[in-house]
């Protein structure tokens, strides 16, 4: 294989990931919990707040997405938010206890004229003492450099599903284009936040295929968002059959075992999930959530309800391990399991 993202002997084959999925539930969670405790404080959860800085009107056809122009979901297209409004939202997120602020734009890729404003947002959010993350679609080299120069900590760009299932979900952007953007982001020294969506009607081998792809990136992503599909009326996936919630928990556990030092984020779909399943996700090694009343366009649990849930579970809100040295994974040493950058 010539693809630099895909070494000829990948770290994880789909068959090996499938063998983890097949473990008895208790054995799987035990392994995941052991892995988690070897690298992290088991009772700390990192809080990331999302803001949609440019909503709707996206030309891509991602079948899950309420923001695609291809589907009638009632989401109206808006312009890029003014920098001052974004910084005001970041200030509120910080006051509420978030440590990372993630700004999302419904673009296939940003236009050159947008980059100056985005770079200003990144600098402003960083100056507040928050970690920065943006998700803007595909990037070219120059755009990536501009974001890196602004001090961006993370770029979110998901693989979304296994290559085998991908064609049933998106036709306007190739899997390889996603891998290419991730490689460019990495080359500029920006951490990657890369995960996918579970519950889109994919098979277990497809779920295992996604995890194998993520875990075989070299190195694997510093941050791994595992989203549960939010079934939005008007999208082609609105009537997708519900997934067994334990299968979602298994996916979190398998992500933790295969990517031991990554921040594994229990992402979209928590509003539709009961507290017991969320607690099992934390037991399976999730150590980050989206925190705040909305995701991008859909509902997330109220911040107050999340604080109450964390308290009931004896979990503490805490920041990501130290990123000061640049690359998160390189910075995580064996003695860092209890050290945090507050
Ligand atoms: N347009 C950019 C892109 O696609 O890379 C950035 C924003 S896009 C909304 C970010 C991610 O949100 C998608 O890759 C997908 O994983 C997630 N997402 C979107 N709609 C979702 C839904 N209905 N349920 C779960 N996750 C969703
Ligand atoms: C990610 O993996 N999930 C977030 C974030 N990255 C940008 C987005 C979830 C979006 C859910 C649907 C919506 O609210 O529009
Ligand atoms: Fe556009 Fe991103 Fe939604 Fe796909 S997921 S339609 S690229 S906003």
């Amino acid at each position: 294989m010539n693809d630099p993202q895909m070494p000829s002997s990948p770290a994880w084959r789909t068959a090996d990931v499938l063998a983890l999925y097949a473990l008895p539930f208790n054995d799987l969670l035990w392994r995941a919990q052991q892995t988690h405790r070897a690298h992290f404080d088991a009772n700390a959860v990192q809080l990331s707040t999302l803001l949609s800085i440019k909503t709707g009107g996206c030309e891509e056809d991602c079948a899950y997405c309420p923001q695609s122009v291809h589907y009638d979901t009632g989401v109206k297209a808006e312009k890029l938010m003014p920098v001052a409004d974004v910084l005001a939202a970041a200030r509120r997120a910080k006051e509420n206890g978030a440590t990372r602020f993630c700004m999302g734009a419904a673009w296939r890729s940003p236009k050159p004229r947008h980059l100056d404003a985005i770079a200003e947002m990144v600098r402003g959010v960083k100056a507040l003492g928050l970690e920065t993350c943006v998700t803007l679609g595909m990037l070219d080299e120059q755009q990536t450099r501009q974001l890196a120069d602004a001090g961006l900590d993370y770029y979110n760009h998901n693989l979304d599903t296994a290559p085998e299932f991908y064609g049933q979900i998106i036709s306007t952007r190739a899997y390889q284009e996603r891998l290419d953007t991730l490689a460019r982001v990495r080359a500029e020294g920006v951490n990657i936040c890369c995960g996918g969506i579970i519950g889109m009607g994919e098979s277990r081998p497809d779920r295992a295929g996604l995890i194998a792809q993520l875990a075989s990136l070299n190195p694997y992503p510093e941050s791994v968002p595992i989203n549960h599909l939010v079934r939005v009326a008007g999208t082609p996936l609105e009537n997708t059959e519900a997934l067994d919630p334990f299968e979602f928990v298994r996916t979190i556990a398998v992500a933790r075992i295969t990517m031991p030092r990554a921040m594994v984020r229990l992402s979209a779909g928590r509003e539709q999930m009961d507290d017991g399943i969320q607690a099992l996700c934390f037991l399976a090694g999730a150590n980050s959530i989206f925190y705040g009343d909305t995701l991008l366009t859909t509902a997330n649990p109220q911040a107050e309800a999340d604080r109450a849930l964390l308290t009931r579970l004896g979990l503490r809100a805490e920041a990501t391990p130290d990123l000061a040295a640049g690359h998160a994974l390189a910075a995580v040493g064996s003695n860092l399991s209890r050290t945090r950058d507050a």
Side-chain angles (χ1 to χ4, degrees):
M1 251 185 272
N2 298 322
D3 178 359
Q5 280 293 310
M6 295 298 301
S8 49
S9 56
W12 284 91
R13 294 174 307 149
T14 300
D16 300 326
V17 178
L18 268 174
L20 290 175
Y21 267 101
L23 287 171
F25 192 75
N26 286 350
D27 291 349
L28 177 62
L29 261 66
W30 170 240
R31 271 194 65 173
Q33 182 60 205
Q34 280 180 306
T35 308
H36 191 192
R37 281 170 187 268
H39 301 289
F40 291 100
D41 179 337
N43 298 307
V45 174
Q46 184 263 344
L47 307 181
S48 295
T49 292
L50 266 175
L51 177 69
S52 181
I53 59 171
K54 196 275 162 202
T55 304
C58 182
E59 67 209 85
E60 303 258 19
D61 68 354
C62 312
Y64 48 75
C65 189
Q67 304 198 68
S68 165
V69 284
H70 299 267
Y71 318 125
D72 189 6
T73 63
V75 172
K76 292 204 177 64
E78 290 170 15
K79 287 205 168 96
L80 182 62
M81 268 174 82
V83 176
D85 294 0
V86 173
L87 297 185
R91 231 170 269 123
R92 284 194 296 275
K94 188 177 178 182
E95 282 160 14
N96 284 332
T99 57
R100 190 182 299 180
F101 193 66
C102 178
M103 296 161 269
W107 286 324
R108 172 177 164 79
S109 54
K111 304 272 181 304
R113 66 175 190 279
H114 296 136
L115 260 289
D116 288 344
I118 304 277
E120 212 180 318
M121 291 172 194
V122 169
R123 279 192 290 267
V125 172
K126 254 182 111 68
L128 293 172
L130 287 162
E131 288 181 331
T132 52
C133 178
V134 295
T135 180
L136 316 171
M138 293 187 288
L139 294 181
D140 65 27
E141 261 174 50
Q142 210 229 310
Q143 292 169 329
T144 314
R145 200 162 311 126
Q146 202 175 338
L147 292 173
D149 288 346
L152 181 68
D153 296 307
Y154 289 86
Y155 193 75
N156 168 240
H157 200 63
N158 291 337
L159 292 180
D160 278 342
T161 191
E164 293 77 11
F165 188 66
Y166 184 87
Q168 292 186 47
I169 301 295
I170 299 151
S171 78
T172 50
R173 184 194 313 180
Y175 210 79
Q176 186 59 47
E177 290 179 297
R178 291 180 186 258
L179 293 168
D180 292 345
T181 291
L182 291 166
R184 281 193 277 274
V185 171
R186 274 259 157 86
E188 291 299 330
V190 176
N191 296 293
I192 64 170
C193 171
C194 180
I197 309 179
I198 306 302
M200 298 192 289
E202 75 286 343
S203 64
R204 180 182 274 186
D206 293 329
R207 290 187 275 281
L210 166 67
I211 299 292
Q213 286 284 331
L214 295 169
S216 297
L217 293 175
N218 190 13
Y220 55 76
E222 287 76 17
S223 190
V224 180
I226 304 291
N227 297 277
H228 190 299
L229 174 70
V230 179
R231 290 176 289 185
V232 178
T235 64
L237 297 187
E238 82 168 283
N239 295 316
T240 307
E241 203 184 319
L243 180 76
D244 175 358
F246 296 131
E247 187 69 7
F248 185 81
V249 178
R250 281 182 185 277
T251 304
I252 298 273
V254 165
R256 167 54 65 220
I257 293 166
T258 56
M259 296 172 273
R261 287 174 168 152
M263 299 302 290
V264 175
R265 183 168 310 109
L266 168 53
S267 301
R270 287 196 305 115
E271 176 71 356
Q272 293 76 21
M273 218 175 266
D274 67 36
D275 289 351
I277 293 297
Q278 291 191 59
L280 283 175
C281 288
F282 293 127
L283 192 65
N287 59 352
S288 171
I289 55 171
F290 283 126
Y291 171 70
D293 307 347
T294 47
L295 292 163
L296 293 174
T297 66
T298 65
N300 198 42
Q302 299 285 308
E304 204 175 313
D306 274 345
R307 284 195 294 268
L309 178 63
L310 295 185
T311 302
R312 280 165 70 206
L313 298 174
L315 294 170
R316 269 187 335 278
E318 232 174 302
T320 320
D322 192 7
L323 281 179
H327 194 280
L329 292 178
V332 177
S334 57
N335 62 349
L336 212 72
S337 57
R338 309 227 158 240
T339 310
R340 291 293 180 276
D341 172 27

